[in-house]
mmCIF file with all atom_site columns, all heavy atoms in Angstrom:
data_model
loop_
_atom_site.group_PDB
_atom_site.id
_atom_site.type_symbol
_atom_site.label_atom_id
_atom_site.label_alt_id
_atom_site.label_comp_id
_atom_site.label_asym_id
_atom_site.label_entity_id
_atom_site.label_seq_id
_atom_site.pdbx_PDB_ins_code
_atom_site.Cartn_x
_atom_site.Cartn_y
_atom_site.Cartn_z
_atom_site.occupancy
_atom_site.B_iso_or_equiv
_atom_site.pdbx_formal_charge
_atom_site.auth_seq_id
_atom_site.auth_comp_id
_atom_site.auth_asym_id
_atom_site.auth_atom_id
_atom_site.pdbx_PDB_model_num
ATOM 1   N N   . LYS A 1 1  ? -0.829  42.471 -54.759 1.00 0.00 ? 930 LYS A N   1
ATOM 2   C CA  . LYS A 1 1  ? 0.045   41.746 -55.684 1.00 0.00 ? 930 LYS A CA  1
ATOM 3   C C   . LYS A 1 1  ? 1.429   42.376 -55.766 1.00 0.00 ? 930 LYS A C   1
ATOM 4   O O   . LYS A 1 1  ? 2.450   41.672 -55.805 1.00 0.00 ? 930 LYS A O   1
ATOM 5   C CB  . LYS A 1 1  ? -0.600  41.710 -57.069 1.00 0.00 ? 930 LYS A CB  1
ATOM 6   C CG  . LYS A 1 1  ? 0.228   40.994 -58.123 1.00 0.00 ? 930 LYS A CG  1
ATOM 7   C CD  . LYS A 1 1  ? -0.506  40.980 -59.464 1.00 0.00 ? 930 LYS A CD  1
ATOM 8   C CE  . LYS A 1 1  ? 0.313   40.278 -60.538 1.00 0.00 ? 930 LYS A CE  1
ATOM 9   N NZ  . LYS A 1 1  ? -0.408  40.260 -61.848 1.00 0.00 ? 930 LYS A NZ  1
ATOM 10  N N   . TYR A 1 2  ? 1.482   43.721 -55.761 1.00 0.00 ? 931 TYR A N   1
ATOM 11  C CA  . TYR A 1 2  ? 2.763   44.418 -55.902 1.00 0.00 ? 931 TYR A CA  1
ATOM 12  C C   . TYR A 1 2  ? 3.301   44.930 -54.574 1.00 0.00 ? 931 TYR A C   1
ATOM 13  O O   . TYR A 1 2  ? 4.209   45.759 -54.558 1.00 0.00 ? 931 TYR A O   1
ATOM 14  C CB  . TYR A 1 2  ? 2.602   45.561 -56.909 1.00 0.00 ? 931 TYR A CB  1
ATOM 15  C CG  . TYR A 1 2  ? 2.265   45.066 -58.290 1.00 0.00 ? 931 TYR A CG  1
ATOM 16  C CD1 . TYR A 1 2  ? 0.957   45.168 -58.786 1.00 0.00 ? 931 TYR A CD1 1
ATOM 17  C CD2 . TYR A 1 2  ? 3.222   44.461 -59.101 1.00 0.00 ? 931 TYR A CD2 1
ATOM 18  C CE1 . TYR A 1 2  ? 0.635   44.695 -60.052 1.00 0.00 ? 931 TYR A CE1 1
ATOM 19  C CE2 . TYR A 1 2  ? 2.909   43.990 -60.356 1.00 0.00 ? 931 TYR A CE2 1
ATOM 20  C CZ  . TYR A 1 2  ? 1.611   44.099 -60.827 1.00 0.00 ? 931 TYR A CZ  1
ATOM 21  O OH  . TYR A 1 2  ? 1.291   43.617 -62.079 1.00 0.00 ? 931 TYR A OH  1
ATOM 22  N N   . LYS A 1 3  ? 2.719   44.425 -53.472 1.00 0.00 ? 932 LYS A N   1
ATOM 23  C CA  . LYS A 1 3  ? 3.223   44.689 -52.112 1.00 0.00 ? 932 LYS A CA  1
ATOM 24  C C   . LYS A 1 3  ? 3.208   46.182 -51.765 1.00 0.00 ? 932 LYS A C   1
ATOM 25  O O   . LYS A 1 3  ? 4.160   46.727 -51.202 1.00 0.00 ? 932 LYS A O   1
ATOM 26  C CB  . LYS A 1 3  ? 4.627   44.106 -51.934 1.00 0.00 ? 932 LYS A CB  1
ATOM 27  C CG  . LYS A 1 3  ? 4.730   42.620 -52.230 1.00 0.00 ? 932 LYS A CG  1
ATOM 28  C CD  . LYS A 1 3  ? 6.101   42.067 -51.924 1.00 0.00 ? 932 LYS A CD  1
ATOM 29  C CE  . LYS A 1 3  ? 6.247   40.610 -52.357 1.00 0.00 ? 932 LYS A CE  1
ATOM 30  N NZ  . LYS A 1 3  ? 5.121   39.764 -52.051 1.00 0.00 ? 932 LYS A NZ  1
ATOM 31  N N   . LEU A 1 4  ? 2.121   46.837 -52.121 1.00 0.00 ? 933 LEU A N   1
ATOM 32  C CA  . LEU A 1 4  ? 1.948   48.251 -51.825 1.00 0.00 ? 933 LEU A CA  1
ATOM 33  C C   . LEU A 1 4  ? 0.916   48.421 -50.719 1.00 0.00 ? 933 LEU A C   1
ATOM 34  O O   . LEU A 1 4  ? -0.054  47.665 -50.641 1.00 0.00 ? 933 LEU A O   1
ATOM 35  C CB  . LEU A 1 4  ? 1.489   49.011 -53.067 1.00 0.00 ? 933 LEU A CB  1
ATOM 36  C CG  . LEU A 1 4  ? 2.389   48.908 -54.296 1.00 0.00 ? 933 LEU A CG  1
ATOM 37  C CD1 . LEU A 1 4  ? 1.731   49.613 -55.476 1.00 0.00 ? 933 LEU A CD1 1
ATOM 38  C CD2 . LEU A 1 4  ? 3.760   49.509 -54.023 1.00 0.00 ? 933 LEU A CD2 1
ATOM 39  N N   . THR A 1 5  ? 1.129   49.399 -49.861 1.00 0.00 ? 934 THR A N   1
ATOM 40  C CA  . THR A 1 5  ? 0.189   49.669 -48.781 1.00 0.00 ? 934 THR A CA  1
ATOM 41  C C   . THR A 1 5  ? -0.292  51.110 -48.863 1.00 0.00 ? 934 THR A C   1
ATOM 42  O O   . THR A 1 5  ? 0.447   52.009 -49.274 1.00 0.00 ? 934 THR A O   1
ATOM 43  C CB  . THR A 1 5  ? 0.840   49.429 -47.403 1.00 0.00 ? 934 THR A CB  1
ATOM 44  O OG1 . THR A 1 5  ? 2.031   50.208 -47.309 1.00 0.00 ? 934 THR A OG1 1
ATOM 45  C CG2 . THR A 1 5  ? 1.174   47.960 -47.221 1.00 0.00 ? 934 THR A CG2 1
ATOM 46  N N   . ASP A 1 6  ? -1.529  51.306 -48.458 1.00 0.00 ? 935 ASP A N   1
ATOM 47  C CA  . ASP A 1 6  ? -2.139  52.626 -48.515 1.00 0.00 ? 935 ASP A CA  1
ATOM 48  C C   . ASP A 1 6  ? -1.360  53.626 -47.660 1.00 0.00 ? 935 ASP A C   1
ATOM 49  O O   . ASP A 1 6  ? -1.036  53.353 -46.506 1.00 0.00 ? 935 ASP A O   1
ATOM 50  C CB  . ASP A 1 6  ? -3.590  52.539 -48.023 1.00 0.00 ? 935 ASP A CB  1
ATOM 51  C CG  . ASP A 1 6  ? -4.345  53.830 -48.249 1.00 0.00 ? 935 ASP A CG  1
ATOM 52  O OD1 . ASP A 1 6  ? -4.662  54.127 -49.406 1.00 0.00 ? 935 ASP A OD1 1
ATOM 53  O OD2 . ASP A 1 6  ? -4.605  54.545 -47.265 1.00 0.00 ? 935 ASP A OD2 1
ATOM 54  N N   . GLY A 1 7  ? -1.035  54.792 -48.225 1.00 0.00 ? 936 GLY A N   1
ATOM 55  C CA  . GLY A 1 7  ? -0.313  55.831 -47.498 1.00 0.00 ? 936 GLY A CA  1
ATOM 56  C C   . GLY A 1 7  ? 1.192   55.787 -47.650 1.00 0.00 ? 936 GLY A C   1
ATOM 57  O O   . GLY A 1 7  ? 1.867   56.771 -47.338 1.00 0.00 ? 936 GLY A O   1
ATOM 58  N N   . ASN A 1 8  ? 1.735   54.660 -48.115 1.00 0.00 ? 937 ASN A N   1
ATOM 59  C CA  . ASN A 1 8  ? 3.175   54.587 -48.363 1.00 0.00 ? 937 ASN A CA  1
ATOM 60  C C   . ASN A 1 8  ? 3.478   55.042 -49.801 1.00 0.00 ? 937 ASN A C   1
ATOM 61  O O   . ASN A 1 8  ? 2.613   55.551 -50.486 1.00 0.00 ? 937 ASN A O   1
ATOM 62  C CB  . ASN A 1 8  ? 3.695   53.176 -48.108 1.00 0.00 ? 937 ASN A CB  1
ATOM 63  C CG  . ASN A 1 8  ? 3.861   52.900 -46.624 1.00 0.00 ? 937 ASN A CG  1
ATOM 64  O OD1 . ASN A 1 8  ? 3.955   53.825 -45.815 1.00 0.00 ? 937 ASN A OD1 1
ATOM 65  N ND2 . ASN A 1 8  ? 3.874   51.630 -46.260 1.00 0.00 ? 937 ASN A ND2 1
ATOM 66  N N   . PHE A 1 9  ? 4.716   54.818 -50.240 1.00 0.00 ? 938 PHE A N   1
ATOM 67  C CA  . PHE A 1 9  ? 5.133   55.343 -51.539 1.00 0.00 ? 938 PHE A CA  1
ATOM 68  C C   . PHE A 1 9  ? 5.398   54.226 -52.541 1.00 0.00 ? 938 PHE A C   1
ATOM 69  O O   . PHE A 1 9  ? 5.663   53.078 -52.163 1.00 0.00 ? 938 PHE A O   1
ATOM 70  C CB  . PHE A 1 9  ? 6.392   56.199 -51.388 1.00 0.00 ? 938 PHE A CB  1
ATOM 71  C CG  . PHE A 1 9  ? 6.155   57.492 -50.678 1.00 0.00 ? 938 PHE A CG  1
ATOM 72  C CD1 . PHE A 1 9  ? 6.261   57.562 -49.296 1.00 0.00 ? 938 PHE A CD1 1
ATOM 73  C CD2 . PHE A 1 9  ? 5.803   58.642 -51.378 1.00 0.00 ? 938 PHE A CD2 1
ATOM 74  C CE1 . PHE A 1 9  ? 6.032   58.755 -48.625 1.00 0.00 ? 938 PHE A CE1 1
ATOM 75  C CE2 . PHE A 1 9  ? 5.581   59.827 -50.715 1.00 0.00 ? 938 PHE A CE2 1
ATOM 76  C CZ  . PHE A 1 9  ? 5.698   59.887 -49.336 1.00 0.00 ? 938 PHE A CZ  1
ATOM 77  N N   . ALA A 1 10 ? 5.339   54.588 -53.810 1.00 0.00 ? 939 ALA A N   1
ATOM 78  C CA  . ALA A 1 10 ? 5.624   53.644 -54.887 1.00 0.00 ? 939 ALA A CA  1
ATOM 79  C C   . ALA A 1 10 ? 6.395   54.348 -55.990 1.00 0.00 ? 939 ALA A C   1
ATOM 80  O O   . ALA A 1 10 ? 6.191   55.537 -56.246 1.00 0.00 ? 939 ALA A O   1
ATOM 81  C CB  . ALA A 1 10 ? 4.332   53.056 -55.443 1.00 0.00 ? 939 ALA A CB  1
ATOM 82  N N   . ASN A 1 11 ? 7.266   53.593 -56.627 1.00 0.00 ? 940 ASN A N   1
ATOM 83  C CA  . ASN A 1 11 ? 7.986   54.080 -57.798 1.00 0.00 ? 940 ASN A CA  1
ATOM 84  C C   . ASN A 1 11 ? 7.273   53.572 -59.050 1.00 0.00 ? 940 ASN A C   1
ATOM 85  O O   . ASN A 1 11 ? 7.078   52.376 -59.219 1.00 0.00 ? 940 ASN A O   1
ATOM 86  C CB  . ASN A 1 11 ? 9.434   53.585 -57.796 1.00 0.00 ? 940 ASN A CB  1
ATOM 87  C CG  . ASN A 1 11 ? 10.202  54.089 -58.998 1.00 0.00 ? 940 ASN A CG  1
ATOM 88  O OD1 . ASN A 1 11 ? 10.547  55.259 -59.101 1.00 0.00 ? 940 ASN A OD1 1
ATOM 89  N ND2 . ASN A 1 11 ? 10.489  53.176 -59.927 1.00 0.00 ? 940 ASN A ND2 1
ATOM 90  N N   . ILE A 1 12 ? 6.860   54.511 -59.897 1.00 0.00 ? 941 ILE A N   1
ATOM 91  C CA  . ILE A 1 12 ? 6.192   54.166 -61.148 1.00 0.00 ? 941 ILE A CA  1
ATOM 92  C C   . ILE A 1 12 ? 7.192   54.334 -62.278 1.00 0.00 ? 941 ILE A C   1
ATOM 93  O O   . ILE A 1 12 ? 7.817   55.387 -62.416 1.00 0.00 ? 941 ILE A O   1
ATOM 94  C CB  . ILE A 1 12 ? 4.959   55.048 -61.398 1.00 0.00 ? 941 ILE A CB  1
ATOM 95  C CG1 . ILE A 1 12 ? 3.982   54.931 -60.237 1.00 0.00 ? 941 ILE A CG1 1
ATOM 96  C CG2 . ILE A 1 12 ? 4.262   54.638 -62.690 1.00 0.00 ? 941 ILE A CG2 1
ATOM 97  C CD1 . ILE A 1 12 ? 4.169   55.963 -59.168 1.00 0.00 ? 941 ILE A CD1 1
ATOM 98  N N   . GLN A 1 13 ? 7.342   53.303 -63.099 1.00 0.00 ? 942 GLN A N   1
ATOM 99  C CA  . GLN A 1 13 ? 8.340   53.308 -64.164 1.00 0.00 ? 942 GLN A CA  1
ATOM 100 C C   . GLN A 1 13 ? 7.670   52.977 -65.493 1.00 0.00 ? 942 GLN A C   1
ATOM 101 O O   . GLN A 1 13 ? 6.853   52.064 -65.588 1.00 0.00 ? 942 GLN A O   1
ATOM 102 C CB  . GLN A 1 13 ? 9.419   52.264 -63.869 1.00 0.00 ? 942 GLN A CB  1
ATOM 103 C CG  . GLN A 1 13 ? 10.512  52.157 -64.926 1.00 0.00 ? 942 GLN A CG  1
ATOM 104 C CD  . GLN A 1 13 ? 11.600  53.189 -64.734 1.00 0.00 ? 942 GLN A CD  1
ATOM 105 O OE1 . GLN A 1 13 ? 11.974  53.487 -63.610 1.00 0.00 ? 942 GLN A OE1 1
ATOM 106 N NE2 . GLN A 1 13 ? 12.125  53.719 -65.824 1.00 0.00 ? 942 GLN A NE2 1
ATOM 107 N N   . THR A 1 14 ? 8.009   53.746 -66.532 1.00 0.00 ? 943 THR A N   1
ATOM 108 C CA  . THR A 1 14 ? 7.612   53.418 -67.896 1.00 0.00 ? 943 THR A CA  1
ATOM 109 C C   . THR A 1 14 ? 8.851   53.483 -68.784 1.00 0.00 ? 943 THR A C   1
ATOM 110 O O   . THR A 1 14 ? 9.956   53.764 -68.300 1.00 0.00 ? 943 THR A O   1
ATOM 111 C CB  . THR A 1 14 ? 6.542   54.394 -68.444 1.00 0.00 ? 943 THR A CB  1
ATOM 112 O OG1 . THR A 1 14 ? 7.169   55.666 -68.716 1.00 0.00 ? 943 THR A OG1 1
ATOM 113 C CG2 . THR A 1 14 ? 5.404   54.586 -67.462 1.00 0.00 ? 943 THR A CG2 1
ATOM 114 N N   . ASN A 1 15 ? 8.679   53.259 -70.058 1.00 0.00 ? 944 ASN A N   1
ATOM 115 C CA  . ASN A 1 15 ? 9.799   53.364 -70.998 1.00 0.00 ? 944 ASN A CA  1
ATOM 116 C C   . ASN A 1 15 ? 10.310  54.786 -71.135 1.00 0.00 ? 944 ASN A C   1
ATOM 117 O O   . ASN A 1 15 ? 11.375  55.019 -71.729 1.00 0.00 ? 944 ASN A O   1
ATOM 118 C CB  . ASN A 1 15 ? 9.386   52.850 -72.377 1.00 0.00 ? 944 ASN A CB  1
ATOM 119 C CG  . ASN A 1 15 ? 9.712   51.377 -72.564 1.00 0.00 ? 944 ASN A CG  1
ATOM 120 O OD1 . ASN A 1 15 ? 10.704  50.889 -72.031 1.00 0.00 ? 944 ASN A OD1 1
ATOM 121 N ND2 . ASN A 1 15 ? 8.873   50.681 -73.303 1.00 0.00 ? 944 ASN A ND2 1
ATOM 122 N N   . PHE A 1 16 ? 9.579   55.759 -70.591 1.00 0.00 ? 945 PHE A N   1
ATOM 123 C CA  . PHE A 1 16 ? 9.889   57.161 -70.837 1.00 0.00 ? 945 PHE A CA  1
ATOM 124 C C   . PHE A 1 16 ? 10.309  57.930 -69.590 1.00 0.00 ? 945 PHE A C   1
ATOM 125 O O   . PHE A 1 16 ? 10.767  59.066 -69.686 1.00 0.00 ? 945 PHE A O   1
ATOM 126 C CB  . PHE A 1 16 ? 8.673   57.839 -71.474 1.00 0.00 ? 945 PHE A CB  1
ATOM 127 C CG  . PHE A 1 16 ? 8.137   57.074 -72.640 1.00 0.00 ? 945 PHE A CG  1
ATOM 128 C CD1 . PHE A 1 16 ? 7.075   56.198 -72.483 1.00 0.00 ? 945 PHE A CD1 1
ATOM 129 C CD2 . PHE A 1 16 ? 8.730   57.179 -73.883 1.00 0.00 ? 945 PHE A CD2 1
ATOM 130 C CE1 . PHE A 1 16 ? 6.590   55.461 -73.553 1.00 0.00 ? 945 PHE A CE1 1
ATOM 131 C CE2 . PHE A 1 16 ? 8.258   56.444 -74.963 1.00 0.00 ? 945 PHE A CE2 1
ATOM 132 C CZ  . PHE A 1 16 ? 7.189   55.573 -74.795 1.00 0.00 ? 945 PHE A CZ  1
ATOM 133 N N   . GLY A 1 17 ? 10.171  57.320 -68.406 1.00 0.00 ? 946 GLY A N   1
ATOM 134 C CA  . GLY A 1 17 ? 10.564  58.006 -67.192 1.00 0.00 ? 946 GLY A CA  1
ATOM 135 C C   . GLY A 1 17 ? 10.037  57.308 -65.964 1.00 0.00 ? 946 GLY A C   1
ATOM 136 O O   . GLY A 1 17 ? 9.438   56.227 -66.033 1.00 0.00 ? 946 GLY A O   1
ATOM 137 N N   . SER A 1 18 ? 10.269  57.934 -64.807 1.00 0.00 ? 947 SER A N   1
ATOM 138 C CA  . SER A 1 18 ? 9.804   57.366 -63.545 1.00 0.00 ? 947 SER A CA  1
ATOM 139 C C   . SER A 1 18 ? 9.491   58.485 -62.576 1.00 0.00 ? 947 SER A C   1
ATOM 140 O O   . SER A 1 18 ? 9.962   59.625 -62.726 1.00 0.00 ? 947 SER A O   1
ATOM 141 C CB  . SER A 1 18 ? 10.859  56.429 -62.947 1.00 0.00 ? 947 SER A CB  1
ATOM 142 O OG  . SER A 1 18 ? 12.022  57.165 -62.585 1.00 0.00 ? 947 SER A OG  1
ATOM 143 N N   . CYS A 1 19 ? 8.690   58.177 -61.573 1.00 0.00 ? 948 CYS A N   1
ATOM 144 C CA  . CYS A 1 19 ? 8.412   59.130 -60.507 1.00 0.00 ? 948 CYS A CA  1
ATOM 145 C C   . CYS A 1 19 ? 7.992   58.363 -59.252 1.00 0.00 ? 948 CYS A C   1
ATOM 146 O O   . CYS A 1 19 ? 7.736   57.155 -59.304 1.00 0.00 ? 948 CYS A O   1
ATOM 147 C CB  . CYS A 1 19 ? 7.344   60.144 -60.915 1.00 0.00 ? 948 CYS A CB  1
ATOM 148 S SG  . CYS A 1 19 ? 5.709   59.442 -61.125 1.00 0.00 ? 948 CYS A SG  1
ATOM 149 N N   . ILE A 1 20 ? 7.940   59.068 -58.138 1.00 0.00 ? 949 ILE A N   1
ATOM 150 C CA  . ILE A 1 20 ? 7.564   58.463 -56.865 1.00 0.00 ? 949 ILE A CA  1
ATOM 151 C C   . ILE A 1 20 ? 6.337   59.180 -56.326 1.00 0.00 ? 949 ILE A C   1
ATOM 152 O O   . ILE A 1 20 ? 6.341   60.407 -56.179 1.00 0.00 ? 949 ILE A O   1
ATOM 153 C CB  . ILE A 1 20 ? 8.726   58.539 -55.858 1.00 0.00 ? 949 ILE A CB  1
ATOM 154 C CG1 . ILE A 1 20 ? 9.911   57.718 -56.371 1.00 0.00 ? 949 ILE A CG1 1
ATOM 155 C CG2 . ILE A 1 20 ? 8.276   58.029 -54.484 1.00 0.00 ? 949 ILE A CG2 1
ATOM 156 C CD1 . ILE A 1 20 ? 11.153  57.816 -55.507 1.00 0.00 ? 949 ILE A CD1 1
ATOM 157 N N   . LEU A 1 21 ? 5.290   58.409 -56.035 1.00 0.00 ? 950 LEU A N   1
ATOM 158 C CA  . LEU A 1 21 ? 4.032   58.978 -55.576 1.00 0.00 ? 950 LEU A CA  1
ATOM 159 C C   . LEU A 1 21 ? 3.520   58.232 -54.352 1.00 0.00 ? 950 LEU A C   1
ATOM 160 O O   . LEU A 1 21 ? 3.846   57.067 -54.138 1.00 0.00 ? 950 LEU A O   1
ATOM 161 C CB  . LEU A 1 21 ? 2.968   58.894 -56.683 1.00 0.00 ? 950 LEU A CB  1
ATOM 162 C CG  . LEU A 1 21 ? 3.296   59.570 -58.015 1.00 0.00 ? 950 LEU A CG  1
ATOM 163 C CD1 . LEU A 1 21 ? 2.197   59.276 -59.030 1.00 0.00 ? 950 LEU A CD1 1
ATOM 164 C CD2 . LEU A 1 21 ? 3.478   61.064 -57.835 1.00 0.00 ? 950 LEU A CD2 1
ATOM 165 N N   . ARG A 1 22 ? 2.725   58.945 -53.559 1.00 0.00 ? 951 ARG A N   1
ATOM 166 C CA  . ARG A 1 22 ? 2.090   58.300 -52.416 1.00 0.00 ? 951 ARG A CA  1
ATOM 167 C C   . ARG A 1 22 ? 0.936   57.429 -52.896 1.00 0.00 ? 951 ARG A C   1
ATOM 168 O O   . ARG A 1 22 ? 0.153   57.828 -53.761 1.00 0.00 ? 951 ARG A O   1
ATOM 169 C CB  . ARG A 1 22 ? 1.586   59.333 -51.408 1.00 0.00 ? 951 ARG A CB  1
ATOM 170 C CG  . ARG A 1 22 ? 1.151   58.710 -50.077 1.00 0.00 ? 951 ARG A CG  1
ATOM 171 C CD  . ARG A 1 22 ? 0.611   59.738 -49.122 1.00 0.00 ? 951 ARG A CD  1
ATOM 172 N NE  . ARG A 1 22 ? 1.622   60.682 -48.688 1.00 0.00 ? 951 ARG A NE  1
ATOM 173 C CZ  . ARG A 1 22 ? 2.478   60.473 -47.686 1.00 0.00 ? 951 ARG A CZ  1
ATOM 174 N NH1 . ARG A 1 22 ? 2.458   59.297 -47.051 1.00 0.00 ? 951 ARG A NH1 1
ATOM 175 N NH2 . ARG A 1 22 ? 3.332   61.394 -47.324 1.00 0.00 ? 951 ARG A NH2 1
ATOM 176 N N   . VAL A 1 23 ? 0.813   56.249 -52.300 1.00 0.00 ? 952 VAL A N   1
ATOM 177 C CA  . VAL A 1 23 ? -0.166  55.259 -52.738 1.00 0.00 ? 952 VAL A CA  1
ATOM 178 C C   . VAL A 1 23 ? -1.524  55.505 -52.080 1.00 0.00 ? 952 VAL A C   1
ATOM 179 O O   . VAL A 1 23 ? -1.616  55.728 -50.872 1.00 0.00 ? 952 VAL A O   1
ATOM 180 C CB  . VAL A 1 23 ? 0.320   53.837 -52.407 1.00 0.00 ? 952 VAL A CB  1
ATOM 181 C CG1 . VAL A 1 23 ? -0.750  52.800 -52.751 1.00 0.00 ? 952 VAL A CG1 1
ATOM 182 C CG2 . VAL A 1 23 ? 1.615   53.532 -53.149 1.00 0.00 ? 952 VAL A CG2 1
ATOM 183 N N   . LYS A 1 24 ? -2.557  55.448 -52.896 1.00 0.00 ? 953 LYS A N   1
ATOM 184 C CA  . LYS A 1 24 ? -3.934  55.470 -52.407 1.00 0.00 ? 953 LYS A CA  1
ATOM 185 C C   . LYS A 1 24 ? -4.630  54.223 -52.925 1.00 0.00 ? 953 LYS A C   1
ATOM 186 O O   . LYS A 1 24 ? -4.900  54.091 -54.112 1.00 0.00 ? 953 LYS A O   1
ATOM 187 C CB  . LYS A 1 24 ? -4.666  56.723 -52.900 1.00 0.00 ? 953 LYS A CB  1
ATOM 188 C CG  . LYS A 1 24 ? -6.109  56.805 -52.424 1.00 0.00 ? 953 LYS A CG  1
ATOM 189 C CD  . LYS A 1 24 ? -6.794  58.072 -52.926 1.00 0.00 ? 953 LYS A CD  1
ATOM 190 C CE  . LYS A 1 24 ? -8.232  58.153 -52.440 1.00 0.00 ? 953 LYS A CE  1
ATOM 191 N NZ  . LYS A 1 24 ? -8.907  59.390 -52.926 1.00 0.00 ? 953 LYS A NZ  1
ATOM 192 N N   . VAL A 1 25 ? -4.903  53.290 -52.025 1.00 0.00 ? 954 VAL A N   1
ATOM 193 C CA  . VAL A 1 25 ? -5.564  52.044 -52.400 1.00 0.00 ? 954 VAL A CA  1
ATOM 194 C C   . VAL A 1 25 ? -7.073  52.274 -52.381 1.00 0.00 ? 954 VAL A C   1
ATOM 195 O O   . VAL A 1 25 ? -7.634  52.687 -51.371 1.00 0.00 ? 954 VAL A O   1
ATOM 196 C CB  . VAL A 1 25 ? -5.187  50.910 -51.430 1.00 0.00 ? 954 VAL A CB  1
ATOM 197 C CG1 . VAL A 1 25 ? -5.900  49.619 -51.825 1.00 0.00 ? 954 VAL A CG1 1
ATOM 198 C CG2 . VAL A 1 25 ? -3.676  50.701 -51.418 1.00 0.00 ? 954 VAL A CG2 1
ATOM 199 N N   . THR A 1 26 ? -7.726  52.022 -53.512 1.00 0.00 ? 955 THR A N   1
ATOM 200 C CA  . THR A 1 26 ? -9.154  52.287 -53.618 1.00 0.00 ? 955 THR A CA  1
ATOM 201 C C   . THR A 1 26 ? -9.825  51.302 -54.576 1.00 0.00 ? 955 THR A C   1
ATOM 202 O O   . THR A 1 26 ? -9.302  51.044 -55.663 1.00 0.00 ? 955 THR A O   1
ATOM 203 C CB  . THR A 1 26 ? -9.416  53.724 -54.095 1.00 0.00 ? 955 THR A CB  1
ATOM 204 O OG1 . THR A 1 26 ? -10.810 53.885 -54.392 1.00 0.00 ? 955 THR A OG1 1
ATOM 205 C CG2 . THR A 1 26 ? -8.609  54.060 -55.329 1.00 0.00 ? 955 THR A CG2 1
#
């Protein structure tokens, strides 16, 4: 749905900050 693939990266955002993590689809 959010166009993420296993092993690539994603930006996670909340009202309090953000970070970039490697994606693990499970």
Side-chain angles (χ1 to χ4, degrees):
K930 179 179 179 180
Y931 296 104
K932 304 185 186 317
L933 303 175
T934 55
D935 188 72
N937 282 340
F938 290 89
N940 180 72
I941 303 92
Q942 179 84 38
T943 73
N944 267 327
F945 310 96
S947 65
C948 68
I949 296 175
L950 302 175
R951 191 182 294 276
V952 175
K953 180 179 180 180
V954 179
T955 171

